[in-house]
Structure formats: structure tokens, C-alpha cells
Amino acid sequence: DQQVKQNSPSLSVQEGRISILNCDYTNSMFDYFLWYKKYPAEGPTFLISISSIKDKNEDGRFTVFLNKSAKHLSLHIVPSQPGDSAVYFCAASETGGSYIPTFGRGTSLIVHP
Amino acid sequence: EADIYQTPRYLVIGTGKKITLECSQTMGHDKMYWYQQDPGMELHLIHYSYGVNSTEKGDLSSESTVSRIRTEHFPLTLESARPSHTSQYLCASSGGWGYTFGSGTRLTVV
């Protein structure tokens, strides 16, 4: 039973356009959310995070939005670049619990030149 | 420059062999983790440690074992490798809410 769901296995966008990656969660106790980026044959690297006390966090071209009532978060990449092509994992944790993140299955983003 | 190191990067080994996957970090983190990940699937936690001489099993049942004799070192051992152990193994450490991952070991058991 997946507690963190990334329902789109893949996403293809044109360079310069916006990429929107979505993530849904079922556990209402989750209150800290992270996005990781993973290239083939490499380990995931931390991208951006958001606490449940906020609904938006921005870092350069990357913005994460959190809708707690819908248990939904999204990662926006603007503008998308070919180097952004990777698998993006959404993760959620419970700061009052073990705080070990639960990961989704990832979305493979391909940015075409 | 990586602060958490995994060796080997790739390993092809025969069924029944004993193997140890190495993981070392230079950040002084107390918390370390092992994940298993197959393509298109989520990262599954198989072991974690909150400090020296502390090890726990994760959510995914695994036939592997781990040890934590030194803060910086968290090796994973398979006593008898089987084809079902073929996967990517990712080591991570944490000093706060985020993880730093190693580059992973791609294990193939033939």
C-alpha cells in the first residue's frame, strides 16, 4: 500500500517550458516533504523540501507547492533544461515519528532540446 | 565531491557467494541507511542505524545484514547471494531532515 504516489511514470517537455511533477500522499501525519533527483547509475541528490507550515518553497528554477487539504504536492521547474532530464522522487516524512522518509516510485522527466 | 562513498559501483557475482557492499561517510553523521531500488520502483528501506552498535531492519524484508562498528562505516553483507538479490543498493546518511546518498552499487547475481 503506497503512502506516497507519483502517478506519472514519465513526463516529456520542451526545453524552456515548465515541467510539473506531481505527488500525492495518504498519511495525514506526514508533515515534511522532499524532492530528490536521480541520474542513471547515480544516487539521488536532494533538490528541495517543504514543511507543512508552508504552502510554497522556491529555490531558483525549482518551486514546490503543497496543498495539505488535498494531500498533494507538486514540483515546478521553470524554465526546463536538458540537464534536468532525470528521475524525480517525492518523499514524505513524519517529524513527530521516525522521520525516515517514505519515497514514491519516481517520475522520469525528459527535457527535449 | 562526494561525502559518502560506496564500493563497488558495479558487481556481478555467482549464486551462493558471500558479498559485502561498502559504505563510508566523512560527515560525522550518526544516522545511516541502506535502500534497495529497482527501476520504476520506490526506494525501499532495508536497514538503518542511529549510531555505533545500533542497527535496525527497515520496511522491506531483506536477507542481508549490516554492522556499525564505526560512525563512518556501515557495510552490508549477503551471506549467500541469489538472483533475487539483483538490484541497486543505495547507502545514505543524515545529519538532519535530508539525506545524502552515495552513488549506489548495482548488484547482479547470476
Side-chain angles (χ1 to χ4, degrees):
Chain A
D1 182 31
Q2 286 184 270
Q3 295 189 70
V4 177
K5 299 178 183 179
Q6 293 178 258
N7 291 320
S8 298
S10 63
L11 176 66
S12 180
V13 300
Q14 204 71 31
E15 181 179 6
R17 300 289 186 102
I18 184 171
S19 295
I20 300 176
L21 295 94
N22 294 304
C23 178
D24 297 293
Y25 61 96
T26 58
N27 187 342
S28 59
M29 299 301 290
F30 287 147
D31 57 1
Y32 193 76
F33 305 90
L34 310 96
W35 285 93
Y36 285 84
K37 176 180 179 179
K38 184 181 185 297
Y39 292 116
E42 296 289 336
T45 55
F46 172 73
L47 196 56
I48 193 169
S49 64
I50 188 167
S51 165
S52 61
I53 62 173
K54 300 174 77 173
D55 54 18
K56 176 183 173 181
N57 190 25
E58 191 171 353
D59 184 3
R61 296 186 297 113
F62 302 90
T63 303
V64 56
F65 296 91
L66 176 62
N67 183 334
K68 284 181 290 183
S69 61
K71 295 191 180 66
H72 177 82
L73 64 155
S74 60
L75 175 68
H76 292 211
I77 306 173
V78 184
S80 301
Q81 299 173 354
D84 296 329
S85 298
V87 177
Y88 290 79
F89 288 95
C90 172
S93 63
E94 182 184 339
T95 57
S98 72
Y99 59 79
I100 295 177
T102 298
F103 287 84
R105 293 188 172 183
T107 296
S108 176
L109 173 66
I110 299 172
V111 180
H112 297 284
Chain B
E1 186 175 344
D3 294 314
I4 182 163
Y5 306 92
Q6 287 187 246
T7 57
R9 289 290 303 274
Y10 303 93
L11 179 62
V12 180
I13 200 161
T15 298
K17 300 291 186 182
K18 177 180 179 179
I19 57 170
T20 296
L21 308 184
E22 300 288 348
C23 178
S24 296
Q25 50 100 2
T26 59
M27 296 169 283
H29 290 165
D30 286 328
K31 300 181 182 73
M32 295 188 74
Y33 310 85
W34 276 102
Y35 283 86
Q36 186 174 338
Q37 198 245 335
D38 295 310
M41 300 298 289
E42 58 266 61
L43 280 70
H44 287 291
L45 181 68
I46 51 175
H47 296 282
Y48 61 99
S49 168
Y50 289 163
V52 171
N53 295 324
S54 156
T55 62
E56 300 287 344
K57 288 189 179 293
D59 301 326
L60 182 67
S61 175
S62 174
E63 295 166 341
S64 59
T65 59
V66 293
S67 62
R68 191 86 183 277
I69 299 173
R70 304 196 315 267
T71 298
E72 63 271 21
H73 194 213
F74 191 40
L76 180 145
T77 299
L78 276 166
E79 291 292 334
S80 179
R82 298 189 302 187
S84 61
H85 296 139
T86 294
S87 187
Q88 184 179 38
Y89 292 83
L90 294 162
C91 180
S93 71
S94 175
W97 295 115
Y99 283 10
T100 301
F101 281 90
S103 296
T105 295
R106 170 66 65 181
L107 173 66
T108 302
V109 184
V110 297

